Amino acid sequence: MNINYTAEELAFRDEVRAFLDDKLPADIAEKVKGLRKLSKEDHQRWQKILSAQGWYATHWPAEHGGVEWSAVQKHIWDEESCRYGVPRTIPFGVNMVAPVIIKFGNEQQKQQYLPRILSGEDWWCQGYSEPGAGSDLASLKTRAVRDGDHYIVNGQKTWTTLGQHADMIFCLVRTNTEVKAQEGISFLLIDMNTPGITVRPIITLDGEHEVNEVFFEDVKVPLANLVGEEDKGWTYAKYLLTYERTGLAGIGLSKAALGHLKSLASRRLKHGRPLIEDTGFSQRIAQVEIDLMAAAISNLRIIASVEGGGVPGAESSMLKVRGTEIRQTINDLARRAIGPYAIPFIEEELALDFDGDYLSDEYAAPLSAHYFNNRKLSIFGGSNEIQKNIVSKMILGL
């Protein structure tokens, strides 16, 4: 594999940089680089800018309004976005449910939902995990029973990221209890404003309202909202998860975080000298940088292998495991660089409008919050232990 960019790819990188220099709002970039909270309005403002450029739906075919970038172009966009401080794309609509609708949905569903995802008119969330059905997703118990031209849905989903903002949720539901667990699951699109849906916040350790519990009580969902065939939802879920797990590798995010770590270690002092000059600490930075370089090459190799339009297979599990471990290591080193100031957690310093005196470095509070929040990386999207089982079975044949 040639790891050097071609002249055309370098020209594309220049185009990306020029666009970000011109269009990325400075206040949003400042929040992203400072690990500050972003509002729903921040995300929507940036989505409109991307959509106007035609660069929002990078996983979609052109016939549906997507941009048909090569795998390398997508990689360049990801790296430059993270370097500039571009907000993370909320993936549930554009990068997760949309590919499923494009591949398995009917024409009416494509015409109804895809334009609204592109325009930002609909904000989507994901209804997969349940209490007792996380990594073992096939054990889910939320039921959908046919009643005329509707399904009646009852059950509970949990860890629903940003569900408090959502207009729509895509759900895995059990439609058949008489077959093997994986064979009785269907994929439904549900309007969050439907009577019988209750969203209850879960406040995480960093004080943030990011995830939720979602309860369904006799919720009526039109049969037309079934994607594909009844009882075949497990197939569609696996297809979606290959996109999710590849994105969870977070190579661009880790490169940006590594840059922050080096900057922080250059400012913090140990015995009167910059921490980055400390032999033990610099060796730990060097090791995680080597690991990140290896993961980046693996990521390029995998995306190059699907250049023709396919999706990653079990290799996405390998990326998810290694990528999340690297991100957590960088978070840990940054927390160690702050030292004792990482111990007190001052939630007020995370507020968008905070204008008081910081306890220590202005980076300390958001860094601690980021560290706590990112402990979840090796759990969601299928825990790393489950991903290792997939790799051992599907790649190593064990």
Side-chain angles (χ1 to χ4, degrees), residues 10-178:
L10 289 172
F12 174 74
R13 186 180 66 182
D14 290 340
E15 183 183 3
V16 168
R17 290 176 176 177
F19 167 72
L20 294 176
D21 282 331
D22 184 44
K23 298 295 185 181
L24 176 61
D27 62 315
I28 291 180
E30 183 180 356
K31 291 177 186 177
V32 172
K33 290 182 177 181
L35 303 180
R36 300 287 169 180
K37 298 177 182 178
L38 291 174
S39 66
K40 180 180 180 180
E41 291 70 26
D42 288 331
H43 286 288
Q44 290 177 320
R45 178 157 51 115
W46 176 239
Q47 180 182 334
K48 289 180 179 179
I49 294 171
L50 276 183
S51 294
Q53 178 72 8
W55 285 4
Y56 182 55
T58 60
H59 290 287
W60 297 17
E63 64 182 290
H64 296 298
V67 50
E68 293 185 337
W69 284 344
S70 69
V72 175
Q73 286 176 312
K74 293 175 186 176
H75 174 77
I76 290 172
W77 168 253
D78 178 60
E79 291 218 328
E80 295 301 320
S81 294
C82 293
R83 191 168 69 86
Y84 271 79
V86 168
R88 178 180 67 92
T89 296
I90 305 301
F92 307 109
V94 65
N95 290 340
M96 295 174 71
V97 73
V100 173
I101 292 173
I102 289 170
K103 187 169 181 65
F104 301 106
N106 56 43
E107 284 304 312
Q108 188 274 333
Q109 290 169 342
K110 294 174 186 177
Q111 293 175 15
Q112 179 176 353
Y113 296 113
L114 297 182
R116 295 171 65 90
I117 292 173
L118 273 181
S119 68
E121 195 170 351
D122 285 338
W123 181 297
W124 286 78
C125 62
Q126 180 183 31
Y128 272 26
S129 295
E130 300 180 3
S135 294
D136 183 19
L137 188 57
S139 64
L140 65 88
K141 294 180 171 57
T142 296
R143 290 291 310 276
V145 178
R146 280 184 178 247
D147 181 20
D149 58 356
H150 286 79
Y151 288 104
I152 306 299
V153 178
N154 284 279
Q156 178 187 354
K157 298 293 180 179
T158 194
W159 309 122
T160 309
T161 302
L162 301 179
Q164 71 271 27
H165 300 318
D167 308 292
M168 298 290 299
I169 183 171
F170 57 93
C171 277
L172 293 182
V173 295
R174 186 159 304 285
T175 46
N176 192 335
T177 59
E178 305 300 322

Side-chain angles (χ1 to χ4, degrees), residues 268-285:
R268 307 299 291 185
L269 300 179
K270 180 179 180 180
H271 304 310
R273 298 179 63 83
L275 180 60
I276 200 167
E277 296 178 9
D278 177 78
T279 300
F281 199 82
S282 63
Q283 286 178 343
R284 298 179 73 170
I285 292 178

Side-chain angles (χ1 to χ4, degrees), residues 156-165 192 198-205 207-215:
Q156 178 187 354
K157 298 293 180 179
T158 194
W159 309 122
T160 309
T161 302
L162 301 179
Q164 71 271 27
H165 300 318
M192 288 289 283
T198 301
V199 179
R200 188 166 70 190
I202 299 173
I203 305 303
T204 50
L205 189 58
E208 179 69 11
H209 177 195
E210 182 183 14
V211 291
N212 304 269
E213 296 175 289
V214 181
F215 298 89

Side-chain angles (χ1 to χ4, degrees), residues 194-269:
T194 307
I197 296 179
T198 301
V199 179
R200 188 166 70 190
I202 299 173
I203 305 303
T204 50
L205 189 58
D206 59 354
E208 179 69 11
H209 177 195
E210 182 183 14
V211 291
N212 304 269
E213 296 175 289
V214 181
F215 298 89
F216 301 87
E217 185 176 358
D218 294 332
V219 176
K220 295 182 66 175
V221 181
L223 296 183
N225 288 28
L226 172 72
V227 174
E229 299 179 47
E230 190 172 271
D231 298 343
K232 300 298 183 183
W234 190 249
T235 298
Y236 316 144
K238 289 192 296 182
Y239 178 82
L240 182 152
L241 285 171
T242 60
Y243 282 97
E244 179 181 17
R245 288 168 183 162
T246 303
L248 289 177
I251 301 300
L253 291 170
S254 289
K255 288 186 176 182
L258 181 63
H260 282 301
L261 170 61
K262 290 180 177 179
S263 175
L264 182 64
S266 297
R267 300 197 308 271
R268 307 299 291 185
L269 300 179

